[in-house]
Amino acid sequence: MFRILRKTLGIGVVTEQDPAATDEALESLGIEVKRLVEARFNGSLAIREVDAGSCNGCELEIHAMNNPYHDVERFGIHFVASPRHADVLLVTGPVSRHMETALLRTWEATPAPKWVIACGDCACDGGIFGQDNYASCGGVEAVLPVDLRISGCPPAPLELLAGLRALIQAS
Amino acid sequence: MGRFDWLSEYLARLEDEHVLVRRGSAQKLAPAHVLEIDAEDWGRAARQASLMEYRWCGLWGDENAGQIRVYACLENDGDYLVLQTAVATDMPVLPSHVPSYPIADRPERHAQDMLGLVFSDSPDERRWIRHQAWPESSYPLRRNFSLPEQAASQPAPADGDYPFRAIRGEGVCEIPVGPVHAGIIEPGHFRFNVVGEEILSLEQHLGYVHKGIEKAAVGRSPEELVRLAGRVSGDSSVAHAWAACQALERASGCYPGARDVELRGLFCERERVANHLGDIGAICNDVGFAFALYQCSRLREDWLRRNRELFGHRLLMDLLVPGGVTRDLDSAGVESLKQDHQRLRQETDELFDILLDQPSLEDRLLNTGVLRPATAKALGCTGYVGKASGQGFDLRISNPYPPYAQLPMTGVCLSEGDVMARVQVRMEEIRHSLAWMDQLLERFSPGESSRDWRIPDGPCEGLGLVEGWRGEIITYVRLDASGRVARFFPRDPSWHSWPALERIVMGNIVPDFPVCNKSVNGSYSGQDL
């Protein structure tokens, strides 16, 4: 047990001394986001992520926002399990027609004021799956009012953070 | 040893059963062998194959010129056999493979929804991929399909009346979950029947992220197809793109150079390592061991950043094109990768040692979510789900394609079949991939990557077979006379691991479902298409 504890603690320190934690881009973005979240959202921005038909690429990068390098929670941004706790819906995918109603219901369950972010090229305009597709709505805009688009296939974590900053500034 | 040593016995058995078989071309869908069978013998051919214990691995149809050609893929000893038959489009009736191979159920229902095939003796006629977005009697993969205007102008209703199987009895409760799940995860619906905390049964209803990939591919150029294939499942971008490239290259007879396939192998192994790291962390996190998630996601992030630095994309998308790759690797890149491998090896040795020596983790993962070897075999599971349950099949070893034939890959096979075994398979695969990549970098073919690809002169078809990080991927591509895609069918290994999950959770408690699910980690997008 002592051996495990010692190793656990040892590796834990490595994480804290992570070189990317001083990554300038992340830090400057992060601090700005934190200020904005504090000023406009009372210190906490709650995001409900909805995969409405993505290939799962965007989800991998949204997950990466929570890894120790990016750790978005330190900026007051956190992902919540229920739309009822959310300020923002972060929607990925070209919105498959099979997810259309589920997405609408999720949006209806989100209390106002609420914002919708279309995350990734597919969510912005259908992306590679196209507009003229029997199974897809061709972008989030076709189903919900969209406040912000973050392009990329998929957008990298820092691009996502930059997108969130833009949303907070505009709102 | 010659390949297809077993084929003559199968043919003899078919002859005994008076099944008329025409030997198809050995080249057309190489390395698979094609056997043409009359529609009325379709079920009996499967029955003989199942008696011989061949693995059933996929089914797809292709409508063209008034008929629907139907293909079923079987595997034995690393050799592939494609059974082929044809039915008239206006009378598309075919015996089912389900009586011999229960795993054929969902693929057949998919073909039924997409092409209007009728499997006469199928025990399950319910829709699978079709929800309510288009009328029941219109089939998206038929050439004359168009979405009725009325259906297109209104939101597609939720599939609320899907006929789930109900279990009745005292104290039995039904728990519906999804399609929108609580985490950052793909959507799908799970219907549990429970008594107290114990799961009596789970039934999945997938298809929520069906985005018409098969139809969207039609009419695209081979280059556009490979880009699309890279988005069949975002976490398997390299593997699916590679399978599509293989199918196109075999169809056209234009093969990439040695360096190109080595780079593809490198990308594919990097994809495997990244995903396994992510999964190991996430599985441990699902039982409250957050330390593992932090460490694994840190290592994964390092790995992805190197991807972007060297190859321009964190998830290695769009690096493969028909005939080659888009990115080369210089000697400085080779050196930095070697150092990365060394570092990751050290870190994972230490980390995995801790994970395997944690009593609290053992307590939650050992004997949880057991998939028995016999069940895994019946379901035809490949990848870590199969390998943790006694199914050692790995395309890179069983029927190696370049570059794996030149550098032997070590396999891993356990028999416990529990969540812990699936974690251990992932750990071993990371070690093996690192060792293989090191060998590869040592003897990387000199010169530059080439891209020698031309569109074939006439209509052609090909099969791609790739061992992705989830397991075996089978991709069928047919090009028309102008070199445009006429049919694209990518079969993700998830078609086999999703039904495995239904078996795995039986008798477990509801709070263990997340960790069982994560240990299988089926792709929704790859299955829903």
Side-chain angles (χ1 to χ4, degrees), chain A residues 23-46:
Chain A
D23 185 345
E24 271 180 38
L26 176 60
E27 278 305 283
S28 61
L29 256 180
I31 287 165
E32 206 174 325
V33 171
K34 191 176 166 66
R35 283 203 196 103
L36 286 164
V37 168
E38 274 166 5
R40 293 172 196 241
F41 287 89
N42 233 351
S44 146
L45 181 71

Side-chain angles (χ1 to χ4, degrees), chain B residues 242-379:
Chain B
W242 195 356
C245 283
Q246 263 190 8
L248 287 163
E249 286 152 8
R250 285 170 178 157
S252 73
C254 280
Y255 295 97
R259 194 178 174 89
D260 295 72
V261 286
E262 285 165 2
L263 283 161
R264 286 180 182 180
L266 182 74
F267 299 153
C268 201
E269 295 310 316
R270 287 190 71 79
E271 183 171 271
R272 185 183 319 275
V273 169
N275 283 305
H276 282 344
L277 279 174
D279 270 6
I280 293 168
I283 291 167
C284 295
N285 190 53
D286 270 352
V287 293
F289 197 56
F291 161 79
L293 176 69
Y294 291 141
Q295 298 303 329
C296 287
S297 57
R298 173 178 64 87
L299 296 173
R300 180 183 149 91
E301 179 69 19
D302 285 338
W303 197 252
L304 299 189
R305 287 180 180 195
R306 188 70 79 202
N307 280 348
R308 185 161 190 166
E309 184 192 326
L310 292 178
F311 309 115
H313 197 286
R314 285 163 56 91
L315 304 180
L316 301 173
M317 284 176 168
D318 302 326
L319 295 180
L320 275 67
V321 286
V325 292
T326 57
R327 287 281 187 142
D328 208 340
L329 185 63
D330 60 15
S331 54
V334 170
E335 276 317 305
S336 68
L337 287 186
K338 281 183 187 168
Q339 285 169 16
D340 281 0
H341 297 170
Q342 184 54 24
R343 208 174 313 136
L344 185 64
R345 194 175 291 114
Q346 278 171 1
E347 292 240 30
T348 49
D349 278 352
E350 194 180 5
L351 181 61
F352 295 167
D353 205 28
I354 292 174
L355 301 188
L356 294 174
D357 198 23
Q358 272 289 351
S360 59
L361 210 52
E362 258 182 22
D363 192 40
R364 296 296 310 278
L365 304 187
L366 277 179
N367 297 318
T368 300
V370 177
L371 179 68
R372 291 188 303 118
T375 315
K377 184 175 182 182
L379 298 177

Side-chain angles (χ1 to χ4, degrees), chain B residues 435-452:
Chain B
W436 183 86
M437 285 189 286
D438 274 343
Q439 285 184 57
L440 176 78
L441 293 175
E442 284 298 330
R443 46 145 288 175
F444 219 37
S445 290
E448 290 179 1
S449 70
S450 58
R451 242 195 281 170
D452 179 24

Side-chain angles (χ1 to χ4, degrees), chain B residues 220-232:
Chain B
R220 296 196 185 201
S221 71
E223 288 80 5
E224 289 165 346
L225 176 74
V226 174
R227 245 179 84 73
L228 182 68
R231 273 104 180 144
V232 166

